[in-house]
Amino acid sequence: MDYRGYLPKSHVDMLPCMAAFAVVVEAGSFVDASARLGLTASAVSKQVSKLENALSIRLLECSTRQLKVNAEGAQVYSHCKELLESSANIFRLKERFLESPQGLIRIAVPRSLYGTCHQLIPEFLERYPGVNVQLISNEGALDFIAESIDIGIRITDTPPLGLVARKLFPVDFVVCAAGSYIEKYGRPVHPSELAEHSCIPFSDFSESQTWEFLSAQGACDVSFSGRYVSDSAEAVLNATLSGLGISCLTARLAGQAIAVNDLVEVLPEWKYVGALQGMAWILHQPGRHVSQKVKVMVDYLVCALRRTGRA
């Protein structure tokens, strides 16, 4: 019979009896074994008898003064001993995981925050050499189990129910362009004028985009077609810096370039209110026993990302 698959219930039920038998052999008596197992000597004897009945083999030769393992029992003991050693190894793993986080962490982040998170991963890997990280771009609903995701970051005003959610920061966008583009094509003063400009959509769908704006003057939606489209925020930033057109980027990504005048904020009186902005949250599955690797990564990202202030 092939037992390489999952064990049948009858075999699983024998695991405590196998462990008890191994302890009896090592202790040399039912009394000493009972002290190690925290059971009565009678209970230990019954477990060994149950194993003998299941195997239809006599394992021990007993007298009033002596307990001896027979030839069949010696062979059975060698396997039961492996069972005890495997159990000990499992608890050694627990100690290793708690003392030094280990294993693979898969983190799903939206495209607009991918570059921000990517910059933080090297420092984490240096701190925790036993941990490996897969950073994936994901905009859809997170299926932590099916996609083997450990941590997710989402931009939403309402984090999904059933997950542990920790608030990070608000994600705001700014419309900007290089000074060279403004000098050549002029600076729009109203969102409707964007339709006459070369705009750079941050999207993976098509070159056709609609940007929504809000100000004291009211709301304004602008549709346009861009000559260059990318789903990489960094690529859109580089294209904007090169003078290719006007883009709408996260305030954090464009902020440094604006601060040093490499980019100029366009339409500062108008607030972009389209998709991909809101509150950023870091998410993971609930449970009393969240793995140590997830705990340290979540704490690291919360601290590091909150330091950024704005995305």
Side-chain angles (χ1 to χ4, degrees):
M1 186 177 295
D2 187 352
Y3 296 129
R4 287 175 296 180
Y6 288 106
L7 292 177
K9 183 178 182 301
S10 60
H11 291 192
V12 174
D13 291 343
M14 284 294 108
L15 292 176
C17 301
M18 296 175 189
F21 172 66
V23 174
V24 167
V25 173
E26 293 177 356
S29 73
F30 288 113
V31 173
D32 290 342
S34 68
R36 295 187 187 184
L37 294 169
L39 301 171
T40 64
S42 174
V44 175
S45 177
K46 287 179 180 179
Q47 286 185 313
V48 173
S49 295
K50 187 176 179 180
L51 178 60
E52 289 179 323
N53 291 334
L55 298 175
S56 299
I57 299 173
R58 187 173 182 84
L59 302 173
L60 298 171
E61 303 298 336
C62 304
S63 67
T64 56
R65 300 178 60 182
Q66 189 177 18
L67 181 149
K68 183 179 180 181
V69 183
N70 59 28
E72 292 82 1
Q75 292 186 55
V76 173
Y77 165 71
S78 67
H79 294 289
C80 293
K81 182 180 180 181
E82 292 178 2
L83 178 67
L84 291 183
E85 291 174 347
S86 295
S87 174
N89 287 335
I90 288 172
F91 281 90
R92 291 190 189 101
L93 284 176
K94 169 196 169 183
E95 295 172 358
R96 285 172 52 196
F97 290 147
L98 291 178
E99 292 175 0
S100 179
Q102 299 179 42
L104 174 66
I105 301 178
R106 281 173 55 83
I107 307 172
V109 301
R111 291 188 304 273
S112 58
L113 299 181
Y114 188 92
T116 300
C117 294
H118 165 73
Q119 294 173 7
L120 300 175
I121 299 304
E123 180 181 342
F124 178 87
L125 293 176
E126 186 172 348
R127 287 190 193 180
Y128 300 99
V131 179
N132 298 327
V133 175
Q134 286 184 359
L135 189 66
I136 59 176
S137 177
N138 183 307
E139 297 287 347
L142 295 176
D143 191 329
F144 280 78
I145 296 176
E147 300 177 53
S148 299
I149 295 172
D150 298 294
I151 298 170
I153 294 178
R154 279 295 172 267
I155 301 170
T156 175
D157 292 328
T158 307
L161 297 176
L163 296 172
V164 177
R166 295 177 65 177
K167 188 180 292 187
L168 293 174
F169 47 69
V171 178
D172 297 315
F173 280 69
V174 294
V175 180
C176 53
S180 59
Y181 178 89
I182 297 298
E183 291 177 6
K184 189 172 183 179
Y185 298 103
R187 182 172 182 170
V189 296
H190 190 275
S192 60
E193 298 177 25
L194 291 173
E196 306 301 322
H197 282 265
S198 174
C199 294
I200 309 172
F202 170 48
S203 170
D204 61 353
F205 299 110
S206 70
E207 68 277 5
S208 179
Q209 280 278 288
T210 298
W211 288 349
E212 303 172 22
F213 295 92
L214 189 65
S215 78
Q217 303 176 43
C220 182
D221 295 352
V222 182
S223 297
F224 60 87
S225 294
R227 294 182 58 207
Y228 177 64
V229 183
S230 176
D231 65 355
S232 165
E234 288 69 26
V236 173
L237 172 63
N238 291 333
T240 309
L241 289 167
S242 71
L244 190 60
I246 299 174
S247 66
C248 190
L249 292 166
T250 63
R252 182 192 181 282
L253 190 62
Q256 184 175 356
I258 292 174
V260 297
N261 295 319
D262 287 339
L263 291 179
V264 177
E265 186 173 357
V266 178
L267 305 171
E269 300 84 7
W270 291 82
K271 177 178 175 59
Y272 172 78
V273 293
L276 304 179
Q277 74 169 2
M279 183 60 65
W281 302 79
I282 189 164
L283 312 167
H284 65 84
Q285 288 187 287
R288 292 171 52 199
H289 304 297
V290 177
S291 69
Q292 190 72 0
K293 64 182 180 180
V294 171
K295 288 181 181 179
V296 296
M297 175 59 89
V298 168
D299 289 343
Y300 172 77
L301 288 176
V302 167
C303 181
L305 289 171
R306 284 178 179 173
R307 280 202 309 265
T308 67
R310 295 167 68 89

